[in-house]
Amino acid sequence: MKIPGCTKGSHTDEAPKVEPQAPKPSPNVNLTMTSDQGATETYSSLSRTTGAATPTIASSAPAEPIPPAAEEEDDPSVPVTPGTICRRKGCGKSFVSDEVSRGDGEESVCTYHPLPPIFHEGSKGYLCCKRRVLEFDEFLKIGGCKQGRHLFAPKEKEAKTEEFIDCRVDHYQTPAEVHVSVFAKQTDKDRSVVQIETDKIHLDLYFQGTKRFRRSIDLFGPVNPEASSFKYFGTKVVELTLKKQDNRSWALLEKTDRQVPVNLTFGVGGRTGTIGAKEIILDDENASKIRS
């Protein structure tokens, strides 16, 4: 509001008339579509005086094509029951015999869709071809876009190499039992094996995929296998309850050749509180060390 005027003249109470100016046509630029690459239109400005074309919108570089997924192959050595439907999408032919369905005739040719179906905003089709329909019945009638061999009995995939991993093993004890915890996440209970012997435990745990944990532990003292047990808790821990044959305290879980001190309390060694025993029970070897 404080900007001073820039033109002098007589005072008036009428608003000044402003005549609208017609837009001036651009005589030098004319946009024309010159190419269509990768579904991207490219426009160029064409000068009327020089006739030289200058691109104004650059075409984006085409994306690298996604490598096709490996298709399953039929295993001719596997017998197939007559009437078995081909597993490839869009084929629908039934198995007749090895000579007809797996031979070199017309019935052995499979016309199918190599890629999965797509459903988007009501339209239905396959990723491998452009045809789209609205009705599901029409979708089932879409013919295949690729020819190959039928798939009645897929070849078995090569087994992946197992990966052996390490799991944390903790324990605590009471005067009568030793409790062993194996921290194994997502253990496959059906394939895993836990064996308890008098002086040893065997752990063979399988996980999802190809991971596996296997370990045998020579126990510090003898246990009663019949009175011992194990249990899977949730998806993280395998708990073993080992019944001692005697009530002496274990200095370690695993037997060792090195000299270990005599443990006079029961509990988790070195981590949490202990469960005190009212009576010290030692074997003959440790009792002789105390007397000496």
Side-chain angles (χ1 to χ4, degrees):
M1 299 296 293
K2 296 181 180 180
I3 299 176
C6 60
T7 303
K8 293 182 178 181
S10 301
H11 295 288
T12 180
D13 57 356
E14 296 180 1
K17 296 181 179 180
V18 180
E19 296 181 359
Q21 297 181 354
K24 297 181 180 180
S26 177
N28 298 325
V29 178
N30 182 22
L31 294 179
T32 58
M33 187 179 69
T34 58
S35 62
D36 185 3
Q37 301 175 354
T40 301
E41 297 179 349
T42 302
Y43 292 88
S44 302
S45 59
L46 181 63
S47 175
R48 295 182 179 179
T49 56
T50 60
T54 305
T56 57
I57 302 179
S59 175
S60 58
E64 295 183 0
I66 301 175
E71 297 182 13
E72 291 183 300
E73 297 181 1
D74 187 55
D75 190 354
S77 62
V78 178
V80 179
T81 304
T84 303
I85 304 299
C86 177
R87 298 191 180 187
R88 299 200 188 276
K89 302 178 183 66
C91 177
K93 290 188 177 181
S94 302
F95 181 82
V96 178
S97 63
D98 289 338
E99 293 76 12
V100 176
S101 301
R102 288 176 169 175
D104 298 329
E106 294 182 359
E107 292 296 324
S108 64
V109 178
C110 177
T111 304
Y112 64 100
H113 295 285
L115 296 181
I118 180 175
F119 302 92
H120 180 67
E121 295 182 354
S123 65
K124 305 169 183 63
Y126 289 89
L127 290 174
C128 50
C129 50
K130 297 181 179 180
R131 185 181 176 185
R132 299 291 184 268
V133 296
L134 297 178
E135 300 296 333
F136 189 77
D137 293 339
E138 295 297 325
F139 164 74
L140 297 176
K141 297 178 183 179
I142 298 178
C145 58
K146 184 178 179 180
Q147 289 187 343
R149 308 291 294 185
H150 292 296
L151 180 64
F152 296 108
K155 292 183 178 179
E156 294 185 0
K157 297 181 179 179
E158 296 182 359
K160 297 182 179 178
T161 305
E162 286 185 336
E163 177 185 358
F164 286 92
I165 62 175
D166 192 17
C167 295
R168 181 162 63 93
V169 179
D170 284 349
H171 78 284
Y172 71 92
Q173 61 179 310
T174 64
E177 297 175 340
V178 177
H179 297 264
V180 182
S181 298
V182 183
F183 293 87
K185 188 176 182 180
Q186 295 180 345
T187 307
D188 189 343
K189 302 178 184 180
D190 298 332
R191 295 191 298 164
S192 299
V193 177
V194 178
Q195 294 180 346
I196 302 176
E197 299 178 357
T198 303
D199 56 351
K200 186 180 296 185
I201 57 175
H202 302 279
L203 304 171
D204 192 1
L205 307 180
Y206 289 86
F207 306 92
Q208 292 183 355
T210 60
K211 293 183 179 180
R212 183 181 179 184
F213 170 70
R214 185 168 57 185
R215 181 180 175 184
S216 296
I217 300 177
D218 294 324
L219 299 175
F220 186 82
V223 298
N224 185 354
E226 289 75 16
S228 302
S229 62
F230 67 91
K231 187 177 181 180
Y232 298 93
F233 286 91
T235 59
K236 294 185 178 180
V237 180
V238 181
E239 184 81 15
L240 288 81
T241 302
L242 307 178
K243 182 68 175 179
K244 297 179 181 178
Q245 287 190 3
D246 51 41
N247 293 332
R248 60 174 170 159
S249 175
W250 289 16
L252 298 170
L253 174 64
E254 190 169 6
K255 186 177 180 180
T256 179
D257 295 333
R258 64 184 178 87
Q259 189 71 18
V260 294
V262 178
N263 190 4
L264 302 181
T265 59
F266 296 91
V268 182
R271 293 212 313 145
T272 61
T274 59
I275 304 174
K278 295 181 179 180
E279 182 182 359
I280 300 175
I281 301 175
L282 302 173
D283 59 2
D284 296 338
E285 181 180 356
N286 288 324
S288 63
K289 292 180 181 179
I290 295 297
R291 287 194 296 267
S292 60

